[in-house]
Amino acid sequence: MTGAENATITYGVVDNVATVTLNRPDRYNAFNEQMTLEVQRVWERVRGDDDVHAVVVRAAGDNAFCTGMDVRDGPWWQDVNVWSREDPGVRLGPKQQGVFKPVVAAVHGMAAGGAMYFLNESDIIICSDDATFFDPHANGGIVSSLEPVGMLQRGVPLGDVLRWALMGNEERIGAETALRLGIVTEVVPREELWERADGIARRIAERRPEAIQGTVRAIWEAVNQPPAITRASGLLYPQVGNGDARPRIEKNGQKPRIR
């Protein structure tokens, strides 16, 4: 799947790192139905392609990473039977699509509302010093739910999540505050953002992919499942994911390290 086959995103793989670029800069990279479907297809490809070890998600243009749903197009699911409707976050989020390959998000400019569908399910989020995070739902009289819930699951403090969700466009979280709250783990100059995100992904991609994916899955399940289940998985996954690690190391003439 190349950029030429998509109208709203670009996609490419180099040295085991896939790069997904949101590419509607004229609409501040807001997602519509077409982008949602294209992103879903990308996640399906990432999940099934063993040559992809890590992913970078970034956005074209100077002004925004993503500003949520494109209000010009509106909610395209309104004509669907209420019991058959599906929130777009189900298609946009990598973990919702069963992707446990590490995702590095590179945020610049505005990241508003539904942008958190991407960010809440990314593994590492970095941003440029011009990044700003806000939630316009309240201004439009619209319930904000999955976005703030995902932030809570990532460990962002309750009071800050409530303030972000309830104050709407008037509450802008800048890059340094986002770092303090744990929304991002690093702030870099704008001109260094893509290179830094790519560098992080490449370092991860050098590792044994089975080990990395098992680690990612175990950690996310610890966030989303009861402790008893996550402990059981924590005992099981090393047996599943490390089964062929020792023969592979010994075949290369190296002794495994004991930690």
Side-chain angles (χ1 to χ4, degrees):
M1 182 182 298
T2 65
E5 296 170 331
N6 295 290
T8 67
I9 61 175
T10 64
Y11 177 83
V13 180
V14 178
D15 297 332
N16 303 119
V17 174
T19 300
V20 181
T21 305
L22 309 182
N23 193 29
R24 300 186 74 217
D26 58 319
R27 297 300 300 168
Y28 299 112
N29 296 309
F31 55 81
N32 56 9
E33 182 176 17
Q34 185 171 11
M35 178 185 279
T36 300
L37 294 174
E38 289 180 2
V39 169
Q40 181 183 30
R41 289 196 294 269
V42 160
W43 291 138
E44 291 172 352
R45 177 160 183 173
V46 165
R47 187 179 64 237
D49 187 350
D50 287 341
D51 287 334
V52 174
H53 296 177
V55 185
V56 173
V57 177
R58 63 189 194 183
D62 296 327
N63 298 313
F65 171 78
C66 175
T67 54
M69 184 190 71
D70 192 333
V71 295
R72 179 180 62 183
D73 292 355
W76 57 87
W77 56 88
Q78 292 288 61
D79 59 341
V80 179
N81 182 295
V82 67
W83 299 112
S84 301
R85 293 176 186 173
E86 188 174 67
D87 190 276
V90 173
R91 300 177 186 270
L92 295 172
K95 301 305 178 290
Q96 292 278 353
Q97 291 296 311
V99 174
F100 291 100
K101 299 177 181 182
V103 177
V104 180
V107 181
H108 76 279
M110 295 180 288
M116 301 311 294
Y117 288 144
F118 297 102
L119 302 183
N120 282 337
E121 294 193 8
S122 293
D123 300 288
I124 298 173
I125 306 171
I126 67 172
C127 75
S128 57
D129 48 17
D130 67 340
T132 178
F133 302 80
F134 61 99
D135 186 7
H137 283 81
N139 293 77
I142 301 170
V143 173
S144 181
S145 57
L146 287 182
E147 298 91 340
V149 167
M151 293 172 71
L152 285 173
Q153 291 175 326
R154 292 190 69 91
V156 181
L158 173 63
D160 293 289
V161 172
L162 285 166
R163 183 181 174 114
W164 175 86
L166 298 178
M167 290 189 64
N169 289 332
E170 285 70 45
E171 180 67 6
R172 304 291 176 111
I173 297 177
E176 293 299 329
T177 301
L179 179 63
R180 176 176 60 83
L181 296 179
I183 297 172
V184 305
T185 60
E186 185 177 356
V187 178
V188 300
R190 174 69 180 91
E191 62 271 15
E192 299 176 12
L193 179 65
W194 284 11
E195 182 179 0
R196 177 58 177 156
D198 184 70
I200 292 171
R202 287 177 182 276
R203 291 295 299 272
I204 295 172
E206 293 172 355
R207 275 66 175 181
R208 180 171 169 267
E210 295 88 349
I212 293 297
Q213 291 174 46
T215 300
V216 169
R217 183 162 185 160
I219 291 171
W220 277 95
E221 288 183 355
V223 172
N224 297 319
Q225 294 182 354
I229 295 177
T230 58
R231 282 195 297 269
S233 298
L235 292 170
L236 173 63
Y237 287 173
Q239 310 305 317
V240 174
N242 296 340
D244 64 342
R246 183 180 296 269
R248 182 178 301 181
I249 292 172
E250 291 178 347
K251 184 171 64 176
N252 292 334
Q254 300 177 3
K255 293 183 179 180
R257 294 180 180 179
I258 305 300
R259 296 185 178 182

PDB file of all heavy atoms in Angstrom, residues 7 32 52 72-73 76 78 110 117 119 133 143 177 179 185 204 228 242:
ATOM      1  N   ALA A   7      -5.833   8.502  -0.637  1.00  0.00           N
ATOM      2  CA  ALA A   7      -6.125   9.909  -0.881  1.00  0.00           C
ATOM      3  C   ALA A   7      -5.860  10.764   0.346  1.00  0.00           C
ATOM      4  O   ALA A   7      -5.657  11.972   0.222  1.00  0.00           O
ATOM      5  CB  ALA A   7      -7.581  10.070  -1.313  1.00  0.00           C
ATOM      6  N   ASN A  32     -12.047  12.100   7.985  1.00  0.00           N
ATOM      7  CA  ASN A  32     -13.387  11.865   7.472  1.00  0.00           C
ATOM      8  C   ASN A  32     -13.553  10.361   7.273  1.00  0.00           C
ATOM      9  O   ASN A  32     -12.688   9.575   7.681  1.00  0.00           O
ATOM     10  CB  ASN A  32     -13.630  12.646   6.174  1.00  0.00           C
ATOM     11  CG  ASN A  32     -12.584  12.316   5.108  1.00  0.00           C
ATOM     12  OD1 ASN A  32     -11.779  11.397   5.255  1.00  0.00           O
ATOM     13  ND2 ASN A  32     -12.595  13.071   4.027  1.00  0.00           N
ATOM     14  N   VAL A  52       7.406  -5.429   9.027  1.00  0.00           N
ATOM     15  CA  VAL A  52       7.203  -4.212   9.803  1.00  0.00           C
ATOM     16  C   VAL A  52       7.429  -4.527  11.281  1.00  0.00           C
ATOM     17  O   VAL A  52       6.720  -5.342  11.865  1.00  0.00           O
ATOM     18  CB  VAL A  52       5.789  -3.641   9.603  1.00  0.00           C
ATOM     19  CG1 VAL A  52       5.551  -2.456  10.545  1.00  0.00           C
ATOM     20  CG2 VAL A  52       5.584  -3.214   8.163  1.00  0.00           C
ATOM     21  N   ARG A  72     -16.833  19.505   8.613  1.00  0.00           N
ATOM     22  CA  ARG A  72     -17.442  19.821   7.321  1.00  0.00           C
ATOM     23  C   ARG A  72     -18.187  18.609   6.773  1.00  0.00           C
ATOM     24  O   ARG A  72     -19.282  18.735   6.213  1.00  0.00           O
ATOM     25  CB  ARG A  72     -16.374  20.272   6.326  1.00  0.00           C
ATOM     26  CG  ARG A  72     -16.889  20.611   4.948  1.00  0.00           C
ATOM     27  CD  ARG A  72     -15.765  21.056   4.034  1.00  0.00           C
ATOM     28  NE  ARG A  72     -14.773  19.988   3.842  1.00  0.00           N
ATOM     29  CZ  ARG A  72     -13.654  20.147   3.132  1.00  0.00           C
ATOM     30  NH1 ARG A  72     -13.369  21.319   2.599  1.00  0.00           N
ATOM     31  NH2 ARG A  72     -12.809  19.144   2.998  1.00  0.00           N
ATOM     32  N   ASP A  73     -17.600  17.423   6.942  1.00  0.00           N
ATOM     33  CA  ASP A  73     -18.247  16.197   6.480  1.00  0.00           C
ATOM     34  C   ASP A  73     -19.265  15.685   7.492  1.00  0.00           C
ATOM     35  O   ASP A  73     -20.231  15.015   7.129  1.00  0.00           O
ATOM     36  CB  ASP A  73     -17.204  15.110   6.224  1.00  0.00           C
ATOM     37  CG  ASP A  73     -16.313  15.443   5.042  1.00  0.00           C
ATOM     38  OD1 ASP A  73     -16.575  16.460   4.376  1.00  0.00           O
ATOM     39  OD2 ASP A  73     -15.351  14.696   4.798  1.00  0.00           O
ATOM     40  N   TRP A  76     -20.570  10.585   9.631  1.00  0.00           N
ATOM     41  CA  TRP A  76     -21.088   9.847   8.479  1.00  0.00           C
ATOM     42  C   TRP A  76     -21.875   8.602   8.876  1.00  0.00           C
ATOM     43  O   TRP A  76     -22.481   7.960   8.035  1.00  0.00           O
ATOM     44  CB  TRP A  76     -19.930   9.457   7.558  1.00  0.00           C
ATOM     45  CG  TRP A  76     -18.867   8.650   8.256  1.00  0.00           C
ATOM     46  CD1 TRP A  76     -18.830   7.285   8.420  1.00  0.00           C
ATOM     47  CD2 TRP A  76     -17.713   9.151   8.912  1.00  0.00           C
ATOM     48  NE1 TRP A  76     -17.726   6.909   9.137  1.00  0.00           N
ATOM     49  CE2 TRP A  76     -17.016   8.040   9.447  1.00  0.00           C
ATOM     50  CE3 TRP A  76     -17.178  10.427   9.108  1.00  0.00           C
ATOM     51  CZ2 TRP A  76     -15.823   8.179  10.164  1.00  0.00           C
ATOM     52  CZ3 TRP A  76     -16.003  10.557   9.819  1.00  0.00           C
ATOM     53  CH2 TRP A  76     -15.340   9.455  10.331  1.00  0.00           C
ATOM     54  N   GLN A  78     -24.476   8.536  10.979  1.00  0.00           N
ATOM     55  CA  GLN A  78     -25.775   8.869  11.550  1.00  0.00           C
ATOM     56  C   GLN A  78     -26.931   8.134  10.886  1.00  0.00           C
ATOM     57  O   GLN A  78     -27.984   7.950  11.510  1.00  0.00           O
ATOM     58  CB  GLN A  78     -26.019  10.378  11.453  1.00  0.00           C
ATOM     59  CG  GLN A  78     -25.109  11.215  12.344  1.00  0.00           C
ATOM     60  CD  GLN A  78     -25.455  11.101  13.816  1.00  0.00           C
ATOM     61  OE1 GLN A  78     -25.393  10.026  14.394  1.00  0.00           O
ATOM     62  NE2 GLN A  78     -25.820  12.212  14.425  1.00  0.00           N
ATOM     63  N   MET A 110      -1.490  21.579  16.275  1.00  0.00           N
ATOM     64  CA  MET A 110      -2.704  21.260  17.023  1.00  0.00           C
ATOM     65  C   MET A 110      -2.978  19.755  17.057  1.00  0.00           C
ATOM     66  O   MET A 110      -2.908  19.084  16.021  1.00  0.00           O
ATOM     67  CB  MET A 110      -3.898  21.979  16.405  1.00  0.00           C
ATOM     68  CG  MET A 110      -3.844  23.490  16.496  1.00  0.00           C
ATOM     69  SD  MET A 110      -5.297  24.297  15.757  1.00  0.00           S
ATOM     70  CE  MET A 110      -4.981  24.012  14.002  1.00  0.00           C
ATOM     71  N   TYR A 117      -7.600   9.526  19.458  1.00  0.00           N
ATOM     72  CA  TYR A 117      -7.787   8.155  18.989  1.00  0.00           C
ATOM     73  C   TYR A 117      -6.452   7.554  18.562  1.00  0.00           C
ATOM     74  O   TYR A 117      -6.175   6.380  18.806  1.00  0.00           O
ATOM     75  CB  TYR A 117      -8.751   8.118  17.800  1.00  0.00           C
ATOM     76  CG  TYR A 117     -10.194   8.384  18.126  1.00  0.00           C
ATOM     77  CD1 TYR A 117     -11.006   9.092  17.243  1.00  0.00           C
ATOM     78  CD2 TYR A 117     -10.768   7.923  19.299  1.00  0.00           C
ATOM     79  CE1 TYR A 117     -12.342   9.330  17.511  1.00  0.00           C
ATOM     80  CE2 TYR A 117     -12.099   8.157  19.585  1.00  0.00           C
ATOM     81  CZ  TYR A 117     -12.885   8.858  18.696  1.00  0.00           C
ATOM     82  OH  TYR A 117     -14.207   9.085  18.971  1.00  0.00           O
ATOM     83  N   LEU A 119      -3.364   8.954  19.485  1.00  0.00           N
ATOM     84  CA  LEU A 119      -2.350   9.120  20.525  1.00  0.00           C
ATOM     85  C   LEU A 119      -2.570   8.207  21.717  1.00  0.00           C
ATOM     86  O   LEU A 119      -1.604   7.664  22.271  1.00  0.00           O
ATOM     87  CB  LEU A 119      -2.315  10.581  20.975  1.00  0.00           C
ATOM     88  CG  LEU A 119      -2.024  11.598  19.871  1.00  0.00           C
ATOM     89  CD1 LEU A 119      -1.939  12.997  20.451  1.00  0.00           C
ATOM     90  CD2 LEU A 119      -0.754  11.237  19.115  1.00  0.00           C
ATOM     91  N   PHE A 133      -2.472  20.761  22.799  1.00  0.00           N
ATOM     92  CA  PHE A 133      -3.497  19.729  22.923  1.00  0.00           C
ATOM     93  C   PHE A 133      -4.757  20.362  23.514  1.00  0.00           C
ATOM     94  O   PHE A 133      -4.704  21.024  24.551  1.00  0.00           O
ATOM     95  CB  PHE A 133      -3.008  18.597  23.839  1.00  0.00           C
ATOM     96  CG  PHE A 133      -1.736  17.939  23.373  1.00  0.00           C
ATOM     97  CD1 PHE A 133      -0.503  18.536  23.610  1.00  0.00           C
ATOM     98  CD2 PHE A 133      -1.768  16.724  22.702  1.00  0.00           C
ATOM     99  CE1 PHE A 133       0.683  17.931  23.178  1.00  0.00           C
ATOM    100  CE2 PHE A 133      -0.596  16.113  22.268  1.00  0.00           C
ATOM    101  CZ  PHE A 133       0.633  16.727  22.500  1.00  0.00           C
ATOM    102  N   VAL A 143     -20.706  15.213  23.606  1.00  0.00           N
ATOM    103  CA  VAL A 143     -20.070  14.411  24.648  1.00  0.00           C
ATOM    104  C   VAL A 143     -18.664  14.010  24.229  1.00  0.00           C
ATOM    105  O   VAL A 143     -18.438  13.554  23.105  1.00  0.00           O
ATOM    106  CB  VAL A 143     -20.904  13.139  24.944  1.00  0.00           C
ATOM    107  CG1 VAL A 143     -20.146  12.208  25.902  1.00  0.00           C
ATOM    108  CG2 VAL A 143     -22.248  13.521  25.537  1.00  0.00           C
ATOM    109  N   THR A 177       3.750  21.490  29.322  1.00  0.00           N
ATOM    110  CA  THR A 177       2.730  20.967  30.243  1.00  0.00           C
ATOM    111  C   THR A 177       2.358  19.538  29.875  1.00  0.00           C
ATOM    112  O   THR A 177       2.163  18.690  30.752  1.00  0.00           O
ATOM    113  CB  THR A 177       1.480  21.863  30.218  1.00  0.00           C
ATOM    114  OG1 THR A 177       1.841  23.185  30.584  1.00  0.00           O
ATOM    115  CG2 THR A 177       0.418  21.343  31.187  1.00  0.00           C
ATOM    116  N   LEU A 179       4.319  17.387  28.623  1.00  0.00           N
ATOM    117  CA  LEU A 179       5.418  16.565  29.139  1.00  0.00           C
ATOM    118  C   LEU A 179       5.255  16.336  30.637  1.00  0.00           C
ATOM    119  O   LEU A 179       5.413  15.211  31.120  1.00  0.00           O
ATOM    120  CB  LEU A 179       6.742  17.262  28.841  1.00  0.00           C
ATOM    121  CG  LEU A 179       8.010  16.562  29.323  1.00  0.00           C
ATOM    122  CD1 LEU A 179       8.190  15.210  28.639  1.00  0.00           C
ATOM    123  CD2 LEU A 179       9.237  17.447  29.090  1.00  0.00           C
ATOM    124  N   THR A 185       6.387  12.025  26.172  1.00  0.00           N
ATOM    125  CA  THR A 185       7.584  11.681  26.936  1.00  0.00           C
ATOM    126  C   THR A 185       8.792  12.514  26.545  1.00  0.00           C
ATOM    127  O   THR A 185       9.839  12.420  27.181  1.00  0.00           O
ATOM    128  CB  THR A 185       7.948  10.193  26.758  1.00  0.00           C
ATOM    129  OG1 THR A 185       8.192   9.927  25.369  1.00  0.00           O
ATOM    130  CG2 THR A 185       6.820   9.292  27.249  1.00  0.00           C
ATOM    131  N   ILE A 204      14.102   0.573  18.104  1.00  0.00           N
ATOM    132  CA  ILE A 204      13.212  -0.500  18.551  1.00  0.00           C
ATOM    133  C   ILE A 204      13.146  -1.609  17.505  1.00  0.00           C
ATOM    134  O   ILE A 204      13.146  -2.797  17.833  1.00  0.00           O
ATOM    135  CB  ILE A 204      11.809   0.060  18.839  1.00  0.00           C
ATOM    136  CG1 ILE A 204      11.863   1.043  20.017  1.00  0.00           C
ATOM    137  CG2 ILE A 204      10.819  -1.070  19.135  1.00  0.00           C
ATOM    138  CD1 ILE A 204      10.567   1.790  20.242  1.00  0.00           C
ATOM    139  N   ALA A 228      -5.587 -10.043  37.949  1.00  0.00           N
ATOM    140  CA  ALA A 228      -5.394 -11.494  37.923  1.00  0.00           C
ATOM    141  C   ALA A 228      -5.122 -11.994  36.511  1.00  0.00           C
ATOM    142  O   ALA A 228      -4.272 -12.875  36.298  1.00  0.00           O
ATOM    143  CB  ALA A 228      -6.627 -12.195  38.497  1.00  0.00           C
ATOM    144  N   ASN A 242       9.358 -16.344  23.940  1.00  0.00           N
ATOM    145  CA  ASN A 242      10.800 -16.590  24.058  1.00  0.00           C
ATOM    146  C   ASN A 242      11.191 -18.001  23.685  1.00  0.00           C
ATOM    147  O   ASN A 242      12.343 -18.399  23.868  1.00  0.00           O
ATOM    148  CB  ASN A 242      11.266 -16.302  25.485  1.00  0.00           C
ATOM    149  CG  ASN A 242      11.091 -14.849  25.872  1.00  0.00           C
ATOM    150  OD1 ASN A 242      10.969 -13.991  25.010  1.00  0.00           O
ATOM    151  ND2 ASN A 242      11.060 -14.572  27.167  1.00  0.00           N
TER     152      ASN A 242
END
